[in-house]
Amino acid sequence: MAMDRADVIARYDEQLDTAAYADVDASANGLQVGSETGTVERVAFAVDAAEATIEAAVDAGADLLVTHHGLVWGGLDRVTGREYDRIAPLVENDVGLYVSHLPLDGHQSLGNAAGVADRLELEGREPFGELGPVHVGQRGRASRTYTVEELRETLDGFDNGGRPTQVLDFGPDEISEIAVLTGSGADWLSEAEAVGADALVTGEGKQQVYHEAREAGVNVFLAGHYATETFGVRSLAALASEWGLETTYLDFPTGL
C-alpha cells in the first residue's frame, strides 16, 4: 500500500504533537530532508541519521527514513564534508528524512521513556522531566519492588552492544518509585529527588551526577544513550505498519 508522503508526515506530526516542542528543541523536528510530494511504500527506522543508517535505508529501498537523532541542530550553514556525505544519498535516491527528537522522548505512550517504563512495568505513570511547557520523560511505581541488582539486570537486557549498565547506587536498596528520562537525562536528577524517586533511569551521565546522586540519595542507572532510545522509533514503525506501509528497522548500536 502506498501513502502520500505529506500524509505520513502530517500523521506523525499530529501524533507526536511536534509543534509543541518547537521552542525548546534544538533539533529541527519533522521533515528535515526531501520533498513532501510523492508517495511512500516502505519506511526505514533508526535511532541515528548517520552514513551507515542512511546507506542501509537506501539499500532497503525505503522511501522515507525516520530517526530520533537527525542532521539539523539549530541550523545548517553549509552542506559540505560529513553533512554532504549524509544528505547526498538521501537526495540522490529520493529518500525523505523525518526526525522526532524531544517529541519522541516525551510522548507518554509512543515515546522512549514510555517504552522503558513498559519494560520496567511501571504503574500510575505521570509526565516527568519538565522542559519549559513540555515534559521529556515519565515516572511511575514499579509493579514489584526491584533490588539495585535486579533493576541493573533488567536494563542490561536492553540492546546496547554488550555494554553493561553503570549504576550509582546511592539510593535505597529497594526500588519502587522510578523516574525515566532517556538519552542524556542526568540534568533532571534534582526533579527525580523532588518527586521522591528511588531511582533515575537514563542513558548517560555527566561527571557531576556522581556527587549529585550521592548527596541526593538517589540511585542513578546509566543504561546507554542508544539502548534507552530505541523504543520510540520502534513505536513509530508499529504505527506505520498499522497504516499499511512496509517497515524495516535498522539496528546500529553504539555501545554508548
Side-chain angles (χ1 to χ4, degrees):
M1 172 182 171
M3 290 178 60
D4 288 341
R5 185 180 286 180
D7 188 20
V8 175
I9 294 164
R11 288 192 187 194
Y12 276 143
D13 282 344
E14 181 179 3
Q15 288 274 359
L16 295 164
D17 197 12
T18 300
Y21 293 78
D23 293 334
V24 298
D25 199 347
S27 172
N29 296 308
L31 186 68
Q32 279 196 0
V33 179
S35 170
E36 290 191 9
T37 62
T39 59
V40 174
E41 291 187 21
R42 175 173 291 179
V43 189
F45 297 84
V47 173
D48 303 305
E51 283 187 49
T53 54
I54 290 168
E55 290 171 0
V58 171
D59 291 343
D63 306 300
L64 184 67
L65 172 62
V66 175
T67 68
H68 178 50
H69 301 128
L71 300 178
V72 182
W73 301 88
L76 186 63
D77 295 327
R78 301 173 187 271
V79 183
T80 59
R82 183 175 293 112
E83 286 71 25
Y84 177 82
D85 291 339
R86 291 175 172 179
I87 293 172
L90 294 169
V91 175
E92 291 168 358
N93 294 279
D94 194 23
V95 180
L97 174 64
Y98 182 92
V99 174
S100 185
H101 183 233
L102 294 184
L104 195 54
D105 284 323
H107 196 283
Q108 295 298 293
S109 59
L110 298 173
N112 289 314
V116 173
D118 286 343
R119 289 283 289 272
L120 299 182
E121 299 180 346
L122 301 189
E123 301 173 342
R125 301 184 201 178
E126 297 180 13
F128 171 78
E130 270 191 55
L131 188 62
V134 296
H135 290 82
V136 288
Q138 193 171 91
R139 67 184 177 96
R141 184 175 184 84
S143 59
R144 65 178 181 87
T145 300
Y146 287 99
T147 65
V148 170
E149 189 56 33
E150 286 170 344
L151 185 51
R152 183 208 305 263
E153 290 175 356
T154 300
L155 295 170
D156 279 346
F158 293 4
D159 182 10
N160 197 31
R163 173 190 177 277
T165 299
Q166 293 179 283
V167 183
L168 305 178
D169 54 345
F170 296 125
D173 294 331
E174 295 187 344
I175 298 170
S176 297
E177 298 292 337
I178 301 175
V180 181
L181 205 157
T182 62
S184 183
D187 288 343
W188 281 268
L189 176 62
S190 293
E191 184 178 340
E193 178 188 10
V195 299
D198 303 316
L200 170 65
V201 174
T202 187
E204 60 179 292
K206 300 176 181 178
Q207 169 70 11
Q208 63 266 30
V209 74
Y210 176 93
H211 297 288
E212 291 172 352
R214 185 175 184 177
E215 292 158 7
V218 176
N219 296 300
V220 176
F221 291 78
L222 308 175
H225 198 129
Y226 181 91
T228 58
E229 296 199 326
T230 63
F231 298 93
V233 286
R234 289 185 185 276
S235 293
L236 297 187
L239 272 183
S241 294
E242 291 176 9
W243 300 337
L245 299 173
E246 295 181 47
T247 65
T248 182
Y249 178 69
L250 309 173
D251 191 22
F252 285 81
T254 64
L256 300 174

